Amino acid sequence: MQNQLFKFFSRNPQGRDFVVGDLHGHFSALELMLVQINFNPKRDRVFAVGDLIDRGPESWRVVEFLNYPWFHSVLGNHEQMLLDAASSPSVAKNWLGFNGGAWWRSIPEAYHTRIRSVISRLPIAIEVNTLAGRIGVVHADIPYGMSWQSFVRSLAEDRETREHALWSRQRFRQVQMMGRTQPIAGIEMVIFGHTPIQRPLQYGNICYIDTGATYTTEKTLGHLTLMEIHPTLEIHQFCIKTEKMLVTNKKREPAKVKVPA
């Protein structure tokens, strides 16, 4: 089940795999975090939930990271805005003026084409085989009631499914209102970003890990979350303001992982 909008990664036989929340240009923070956890780029891998760019200080480094063989990402809505801005003046005005895209004006125009080219190749969904089972990575959401396999199949043919994956907060709002949501069938776990929250949250086999790294002026946000998904499940958090690790929460039973309170 492979297409240009979906990418599958086999189990890592030698190292560890991690999923990082919305970076929004905080690449140096990720580097500091990786040093703290003894990340080995020859064996370990990082998968990102998208929104690598905008609002933060180092969005221009996106090409550098996407060229690392150990770093992989899905497309986020901010990457989609960058792509759409090339052909839509209204999107460009909104993105540059109100959604963190001002950095685009400060880099050489010759670099624009390279950034667009690299970002345009990002998939919308990633699946990673781990000791805990198969784990999916999507930026925002999967349509309610749709299995993982149906979602992946529909990406190539259904624009609404793609838009939902990049922009929707429907499932998260359901969790807020009802305290629960329907699991996503056909996969062990799916990890989302997109919605800034105080701490990582898990409901059934769905996990949200965007802890608002770029919102450093807000008391409950401003943290970057890195979730180990293989060979064990573990949560790491990093405070952007203090540049210090906050939480390491290791769980010995991968399929039953819970996030810190």
Side-chain angles (χ1 to χ4, degrees):
M1 194 185 297
Q2 190 88 10
N3 59 57
Q4 63 180 358
L5 300 175
F6 170 76
K7 195 167 185 180
F8 174 81
F9 291 84
S10 300
R11 186 178 297 179
N12 188 341
Q14 297 180 322
R16 299 171 294 168
D17 287 340
F18 301 87
V19 181
V20 66
D22 298 35
L23 280 161
H24 282 299
H26 287 277
F27 292 106
S28 289
L30 175 60
E31 289 173 320
L32 289 171
M33 227 178 162
L34 295 180
V35 169
Q36 292 289 321
I37 62 169
N38 298 313
F39 182 84
N40 186 334
K42 294 182 179 179
R43 297 198 302 262
D44 303 334
R45 302 182 294 193
V46 172
F47 300 93
V49 298
D51 279 7
L52 307 174
I53 60 170
D54 296 347
R55 298 198 173 112
E58 299 174 322
S59 293
W60 52 272
R61 296 186 68 188
V62 63
V63 170
E64 172 192 345
F65 273 75
L66 289 174
N67 280 332
Y68 288 142
W70 50 265
F71 186 88
H72 311 276
S73 183
V74 296
L75 190 73
N77 63 299
H78 280 261
E79 285 80 36
Q80 188 62 57
M81 281 190 283
L82 181 152
L83 296 176
D84 291 344
S87 58
S88 172
S90 62
V91 171
K93 182 179 179 180
N94 183 57
W95 172 54
L96 295 169
F98 306 103
N99 281 288
W103 65 276
W104 188 247
R105 295 191 179 103
S106 68
I107 62 172
E109 191 167 336
Y111 200 46
H112 289 182
T113 300
R114 186 179 178 192
I115 292 176
R116 286 196 193 99
S117 176
V118 172
I119 285 178
S120 68
R121 297 195 293 269
L122 294 178
I124 287 181
I126 282 174
E127 180 180 320
V128 187
N129 189 15
T130 75
L131 285 178
R134 292 176 298 110
I135 294 180
V137 180
V138 176
H139 180 60
D141 199 3
I142 289 175
Y144 197 74
M146 184 178 283
S147 72
W148 176 256
Q149 290 76 17
S150 296
F151 166 70
V152 170
R153 280 194 297 267
S154 69
L155 286 175
E157 57 195 39
D158 186 7
R159 181 176 178 177
E160 287 188 10
T161 299
R162 296 193 297 271
E163 292 290 311
H164 195 98
L166 295 177
W167 293 92
S168 176
R169 290 190 172 100
Q170 185 180 65
R171 188 184 301 271
F172 186 82
R173 291 191 183 104
Q174 182 187 48
V175 168
Q176 286 183 307
M177 290 187 295
M178 303 178 62
R180 58 184 173 84
T181 188
Q182 185 184 58
I184 297 170
I187 196 160
E188 190 69 36
M189 179 185 291
V190 180
I191 301 173
F192 297 116
H194 188 53
T195 301
I197 49 178
Q198 182 176 355
R199 63 180 69 91
L201 296 176
Q202 184 178 349
Y203 297 92
N205 69 342
I206 297 160
C207 192
Y208 296 92
I209 65 166
D210 176 16
T211 44
T214 196
Y215 298 107
T216 55
T217 60
E218 296 192 27
K219 185 177 180 181
T220 60
L221 299 175
H223 304 141
L224 183 63
T225 293
L226 189 68
M227 182 176 181
E228 183 177 339
I229 59 172
H230 174 82
T232 61
L233 290 178
E234 185 173 351
I235 293 284
H236 304 277
Q237 284 187 282
F238 182 85
C239 179
I240 301 295
K241 286 182 287 189
T242 63
E243 296 188 345
K244 292 182 179 180
M245 297 289 286
L246 295 177
V247 174
T248 296
N249 185 22
K250 193 168 186 177
K251 297 297 178 181
R252 296 293 183 180
E253 301 177 37
K256 299 179 181 179
V257 67
K258 294 181 180 178
V259 295

